[in-house]
Amino acid sequence: MRYLFIIQGEGRGHLTQALSLAGILRRHGHEIVGVLVGRSPQRRLPAFFLEKIGIEVELFDSPQFAFDRCNRGISMGRTLLANLLPDRIAAYVRSMRYIRSRIEALHPDAIINFYEMLGSWAAARYGRRIPIFGIGHQFLLGHRAYMFGRRRGMQGLLLRAHARMTARGCTRLLALSFRPMEEDAAARITVVPPLLRPEALEGESSDGEYILGYMVNNGFADEVRRWCAAHPECRVHLFWDRADKPDLWQAEEGLTFHRLDDRLFLEYMRSCRGYITTAGFESVCEAMFHGKPMMLIPAHIEQRINASDAEASGAGIVSETFDLGRFTEYLRQGKKPCDPGFRRWVESAEMRFTELITSK
């Protein structure tokens, strides 16, 4: 079968999901005929994705989150204002026309939409003759038995509305989850394992002497530097995508910043003592797979829900800031993620996805 991928390009999660699924499909004799990625002016696509996806990547303008003044969290007000400007709306209309033109030109047998709202809207007209599979952890918000997204106020309502709009036109929704759940047929939701890349599942895990961090929002950097300056005995390695800094920056005696590098990040993940993250779904799953205790620092409502879900799974603790003192104390307690079935759930992904999306 011939598949077209449409991917939300914000962060790395949807991109790594696409890499994983592309590998699964190709191993089973299928073809990826196109990859369309919604781009953000503030971020560039990671080099590892461009190198490994195995086909030319085509970009289009897509709605993106806007951060608060401190560059620490998502501002819903700024996000709405930025995306509702007339020039941005005109750009999104052009993007949908472009997506439709590529569907017409490529003639895919199925479309895989990695939580890209414009992709869903543009492809909706083809839903009766081309299966459209929506893939994303966010689709769990519509599942009748998923409790973590409820009672979240206005931001929760907006997030659920966004998930419903992104689901528009999809033939079937595949909701990535930390754990198995029953299908919600009324909502067209099938719960599936995380789509982690093979590289993330390889290698032996060990307990090193350093803390690893992944920082999407660079506003936390000064906070981390101050703490590390006061605690030079603690080694911390942080990965980020800040373009105005060198690939390797020794900011303090015990603090090293790394430009986001997929291979190097996974090496550090396997051997770290503990992991700090803003609670993106894929990153949390990789740490859980390797048994790494975590401190989860959600930057917006979606990540708060992820963090609550992961904490309930025994993955670690939740914090509002990069409180390394609290995390080092937690690590001294020797606690580990405690779900022995998580690895088996992750390793079932290839069989599950081939069953669901490769039969006509």
Side-chain angles (χ1 to χ4, degrees):
M1 291 180 65
R2 293 161 51 85
Y3 291 88
L4 171 64
F5 282 11
I6 305 175
I7 310 167
Q8 184 198 123
E10 179 79 10
R12 68 190 275 269
H14 303 290
L15 300 172
T16 57
Q17 292 165 17
L19 285 175
S20 178
L21 187 57
I24 290 172
L25 292 173
R26 286 170 176 147
R27 283 194 294 275
H28 289 264
H30 303 285
E31 181 183 5
I32 313 301
V33 297
V35 174
L36 311 180
V37 179
R39 66 182 175 188
S40 164
Q42 290 78 33
R43 300 190 189 278
R44 59 185 181 183
L45 287 183
F48 73 82
F49 178 77
L50 298 173
E51 292 167 2
K52 294 182 178 181
I53 192 62
I55 188 174
E56 181 181 355
V57 175
E58 303 174 63
L59 302 176
F60 60 89
D61 288 321
S62 176
Q64 303 291 336
F65 290 119
F67 291 99
D68 59 24
R69 293 181 184 275
C70 298
N71 197 27
R72 294 189 177 195
I74 299 296
S75 168
M76 298 304 293
R78 288 187 173 201
T79 297
L80 289 172
L81 288 174
N83 288 301
L84 292 177
L85 293 173
D87 63 322
R88 300 310 300 159
I89 292 175
Y92 303 152
V93 171
R94 289 193 298 271
S95 292
M96 287 191 286
R97 289 174 180 162
Y98 176 72
I99 294 168
R100 287 170 182 156
S101 73
R102 298 307 292 148
I103 294 172
E104 294 287 357
L106 294 169
H107 301 291
D109 296 312
I111 297 169
I112 311 293
N113 185 346
F114 295 87
Y115 205 68
E116 170 50 58
M117 185 171 66
L118 294 187
S120 288
W121 290 6
R125 68 162 65 175
Y126 301 96
R128 292 186 178 180
R129 61 185 177 89
I130 303 176
I132 304 171
F133 297 93
I135 294 180
H137 176 59
Q138 297 88 341
F139 291 129
L140 272 180
L141 294 169
H143 195 290
R144 67 179 184 276
Y146 189 72
M147 307 301 296
F148 294 98
R150 300 181 185 179
R151 296 187 295 278
R152 294 279 177 170
M154 181 56 66
Q155 289 190 340
L157 289 173
L158 290 172
L159 182 62
R160 290 192 292 276
H162 184 273
R164 286 194 298 271
M165 289 189 290
T166 305
R168 177 176 177 251
C170 292
T171 311
R172 194 170 192 175
L173 303 175
L174 306 181
L176 305 167
S177 173
F178 293 129
R179 66 187 69 80
M181 295 172 62
E182 293 294 326
E183 178 180 1
D184 187 341
R188 296 172 291 121
I189 297 173
T190 300
V191 177
V192 291
L195 273 171
L196 304 186
R197 298 153 296 149
E199 309 94 283
L201 313 182
E202 296 170 351
E204 295 295 324
S205 302
S206 61
D207 292 332
E209 298 179 354
Y210 60 88
I211 292 171
L212 175 65
Y214 173 56
M215 183 181 291
V216 175
N217 310 319
N218 298 330
F220 286 111
D222 290 341
E223 181 181 322
V224 175
R225 289 190 65 184
R226 285 193 296 271
W227 190 90
C228 289
H231 300 82
E233 75 285 355
C234 185
R235 293 174 55 203
V236 179
H237 290 271
L238 281 179
F239 283 76
W240 63 352
D241 63 355
R242 189 161 170 177
D244 63 340
K245 295 295 183 183
D247 290 355
L248 183 67
W249 179 37
Q250 190 75 41
E252 304 293 341
E253 182 177 342
L255 172 62
T256 306
F257 284 92
H258 303 263
R259 180 74 53 79
L260 186 57
D261 177 296
D262 183 54
R263 178 192 58 79
L264 188 63
F265 176 80
L266 290 176
E267 288 180 8
Y268 275 91
M269 172 66 80
R270 295 184 193 102
S271 301
C272 69
R273 182 183 173 202
Y275 179 52
I276 302 172
T277 177
T278 48
F281 179 73
E282 267 62 40
S283 183
V284 171
C285 288
E286 289 171 359
M288 289 176 67
F289 187 85
H290 288 286
K292 303 300 179 180
M294 281 174 273
M295 183 165 72
L296 306 162
I297 309 164
H300 52 79
I301 182 63
E302 180 184 321
Q303 291 181 351
R304 290 191 188 97
I305 293 169
N306 288 350
S308 297
D309 195 350
E311 186 178 40
S313 301
I317 57 175
V318 178
S319 175
E320 292 297 319
T321 64
F322 270 78
D323 186 349
L324 289 169
R326 181 185 174 206
F327 189 47
T328 54
E329 177 59 33
Y330 176 73
L331 292 176
R332 277 193 286 269
Q333 297 172 16
K335 294 182 179 179
K336 292 282 188 178
C338 57
D339 183 1
F342 183 75
R343 276 193 167 225
R344 293 192 297 273
W345 175 234
V346 170
E347 290 165 350
S348 71
E350 181 156 346
M351 179 187 70
R352 193 80 174 103
F353 277 90
T354 52
E355 288 175 350
L356 290 168
I357 68 175
T358 63
S359 58
K360 291 189 177 180

